[in-house]
């Protein structure tokens, strides 16, 4: 048992001075004021902020590794990089690949889910629109195939938590219904669908819009498309890549104004370069060049994911957008956890995992706990991009 005392603890209402007691991997108790436990087993946080660990539901890699490498050891390097920056739950994203490659990748990542290192797997593709493929290989895109989808789910041994698909493709709505009935979250993305088609996907059970604005039919006042369909539907959580590259800050503000703190999930869409510098990398087998922190396909120049962590997204939200820290924290933890029904994380409540981030009053990282244990190698985030 260990008690973190003298903390300012985030709640749905704001901040409360108090303490949090950890028992093994889980939160045992949370209280206001002075902790009623001996100082000998306490860690004094000196008035710092205590928030839930971040939950990244759209991330492809980091620390030099990609989840599509199909190698659990390398995937752990990505997990470690993000964890040191406060992301204690990652849903590993797989981009479009051949049927055989996807089965291999999903089986490899399922091991890490079973080991408690990943919170699940997100299939971004392969049922996406060619004209909105972004960094996905257009030659490998295909129409929704229920039999293939079931094979992938079996290979994932229950750990595929989410699939992004384009709802205008033949059989897409059937696939949305099949996903929902299997407990998999269906998300709309990489789509050229019109407003009515996206609304039909939400009515069929889709509940997430994948990286809102990016690689979807743009918002137009007579052709509102996926953006308006997602922002105006209370059932839908919108993913926002707040890296200063994918979206203009004014567009993030607009999405935030429409979807609010309860339906906006910050995601990184990070690729292998997250946490490293500029250079040459791969994503889904394609060459990616990172320059000035921006990842682009070497051949087409399409943006190929980000190089940030959720700590960066939170910091940018506060610094560049004027979003209150408590609300930004919610968008990086509580909202994405709820969107994927990850019931063990996303809030500082008894019974949940003791996945914790300690922040300085200005929002920079001080310490990270994963399942009750301090994470080593947490960078002083001050001054980082
Ligand atoms: Zn994407």
């Amino acid at each position: 048992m260990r008690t973190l005392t003298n903390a300012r603890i985030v709640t749905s209402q704001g901040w409360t001075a108090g303490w949090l007691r950890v028992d093994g991997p889980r939160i045992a108790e949370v209280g206001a004021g002075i902790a009623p436990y001996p100082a000998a087993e306490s860690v004094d946080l000196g008035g710092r902020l205590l928030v839930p660990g971040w939950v990244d539901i759209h991330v492809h890699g980091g620390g030099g590794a990609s989840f599509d490498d199909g190698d659990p050891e390398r995937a752990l390097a990505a997990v470690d990089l993000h964890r040191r920056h406060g992301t204690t739950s990652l849903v590993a994203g797989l981009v479009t690949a051949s049927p055989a490659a996807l089965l291999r990748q999903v089986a490899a990542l399922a091991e890490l889910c079973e080991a408690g290192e990943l919170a699940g797997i997100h299939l971004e593709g392969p049922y996406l629109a060619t004209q909105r493929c972004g960094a996905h290989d257009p030659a490998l895109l295909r129409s929704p195939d229920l039999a293939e989808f079931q094979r992938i789910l079996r290979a994932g041994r229950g750990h595929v938590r989410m699939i992004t698909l384009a709802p205008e493709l033949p059989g897409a709505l059937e696939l949305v219904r099949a996903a929902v009935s299997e407990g998999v979250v269906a998300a709309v993305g990489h789509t050229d669908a019109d407003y009515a088609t996206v609304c039909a996907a939400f009515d069929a059970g889709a509940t997430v819009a994948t990286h809102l604005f990016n690689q979807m039919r743009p918002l137009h006042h007579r052709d509102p498309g996926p953006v308006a369909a997602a922002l105006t539907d209370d059932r839908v959580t919108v993913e926002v890549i707040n890296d200063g590259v994918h979206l203009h800050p004014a567009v993030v503000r607009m999405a935030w104004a429409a979807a609010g703190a309860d339906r906006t999930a910050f995601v990184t869409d990070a690729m292998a370069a997250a946490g490293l510098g500029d250079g040459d990398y791969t994503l889904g087998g394609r060459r990616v060049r990172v320059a000035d922190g921006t990842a682009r396909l070497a051949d087409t120049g399409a943006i190929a994911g980000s190089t940030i962590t959720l700590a960066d997204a939170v910091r940018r939200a506060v610094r560049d957008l004027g979003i209150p820290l408590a609300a930004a924290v919610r968008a990086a933890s509580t909202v994405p956890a709820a969107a994927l029904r990850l019931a063990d994380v996303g809030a500082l409540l008894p019974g949940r995992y003791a996945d914790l981030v300690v922040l300085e009053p200005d929002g920079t990282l001080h310490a990270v706990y994963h399942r009750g244990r301090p994470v080593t190698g947490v960078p002083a985030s001050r001054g980082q991009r």
Side-chain angles (χ1 to χ4, degrees), residues 58 60 95 124 128 133 135-136 164 190 210-211 214-215 269:
H58 193 149
H60 297 286
V95 296
E124 191 184 17
L128 307 176
C133 66
H136 294 251
T164 292
H190 287 270
T210 296
H211 46 53
N214 295 116
Q215 296 304 332
D269 199 7

Side-chain angles (χ1 to χ4, degrees), residues 29-74:
E29 245 185 300
V30 184
I34 310 289
Y37 294 104
E41 53 185 60
S42 297
V43 179
D44 188 328
L45 296 186
R48 292 188 180 86
L49 311 176
L50 184 58
V51 306
W54 324 130
V55 177
D56 197 347
I57 60 173
H58 193 149
V59 51
H60 297 286
S66 284
F67 292 127
D68 59 24
D69 293 341
D71 174 351
E73 279 303 308
R74 289 184 54 72

Side-chain angles (χ1 to χ4, degrees), residues 16-343:
T16 306
W19 50 274
L20 181 147
R21 191 156 168 85
V22 175
D23 185 7
R26 294 191 184 262
I27 298 171
E29 245 185 300
V30 184
I34 310 289
Y37 294 104
E41 53 185 60
S42 297
V43 179
D44 188 328
L45 296 186
R48 292 188 180 86
L49 311 176
L50 184 58
V51 306
W54 324 130
V55 177
D56 197 347
I57 60 173
H58 193 149
V59 51
H60 297 286
S66 284
F67 292 127
D68 59 24
D69 293 341
D71 174 351
E73 279 303 308
R74 289 184 54 72
L76 278 177
V79 170
D80 179 63
L81 181 281
H82 286 280
R83 191 177 288 164
R84 286 190 285 114
H85 288 79
T87 306
T88 46
S89 298
L90 289 97
V91 178
L94 291 174
V95 296
T96 296
S98 71
L102 271 181
L103 290 175
R104 258 197 325 273
Q105 292 164 357
V106 162
L109 294 177
E111 278 179 38
L112 295 184
C113 297
E114 279 151 12
E117 301 289 351
L118 289 174
I121 301 165
H122 168 202
L123 301 173
E124 191 184 17
Y127 316 129
L128 307 176
T130 309
Q131 60 275 58
R132 305 285 176 195
C133 66
H136 294 251
D137 186 345
L140 294 173
L141 296 177
R142 40 204 188 264
S143 287
D145 177 339
L146 272 180
E148 181 190 26
F149 178 61
Q150 300 289 357
R151 279 195 295 277
I152 297 172
L153 293 191
R154 279 198 297 277
R157 305 195 289 275
H159 299 291
V160 173
R161 306 287 308 215
M162 179 174 181
I163 179 165
T164 292
L165 78 173
E168 69 273 31
L169 297 176
L173 296 189
E174 243 186 293
L175 199 126
V176 166
R177 282 187 282 266
V180 170
S181 78
E182 298 275 2
V184 175
V185 170
V188 167
H190 287 270
T191 170
D192 200 44
D194 62 11
Y195 175 79
T197 304
V198 178
C199 289
F202 293 146
D203 287 339
T207 49
V208 171
T210 296
H211 46 53
L212 192 73
F213 293 100
N214 295 116
Q215 296 304 332
M216 56 177 61
R217 181 191 283 229
L219 181 67
H220 184 278
H221 50 289
R222 279 186 295 276
D223 179 13
V227 173
L231 286 178
T232 58
D233 191 326
D234 284 345
R235 300 169 296 184
V236 176
T237 300
V238 299
E239 291 185 0
V240 166
I241 308 175
N242 188 31
D243 66 344
V245 174
H246 280 77
L247 299 172
H248 191 284
V251 171
V252 180
R253 271 199 206 95
M254 185 176 84
W256 187 270
D262 291 328
R263 291 204 292 120
T264 306
F266 288 148
V267 297
T268 62
D269 199 7
M271 42 74 75
L276 300 182
D278 291 353
D280 291 327
Y281 298 89
T282 60
L283 179 68
R286 307 182 83 189
R287 285 181 46 238
V288 176
R289 173 147 300 160
V290 178
D292 297 328
T294 300
R296 292 183 181 278
L297 285 186
D299 50 1
T300 69
I303 298 179
S306 86
T307 60
I308 64 165
T309 67
L310 278 180
D312 300 309
V314 168
R315 193 160 45 247
R316 279 175 181 279
V318 174
R319 185 192 65 196
D320 301 347
L321 306 173
I323 290 173
L325 180 59
V329 159
R330 200 172 162 72
S333 58
T334 313
V335 174
L340 263 72
R341 298 189 293 272
L342 301 173

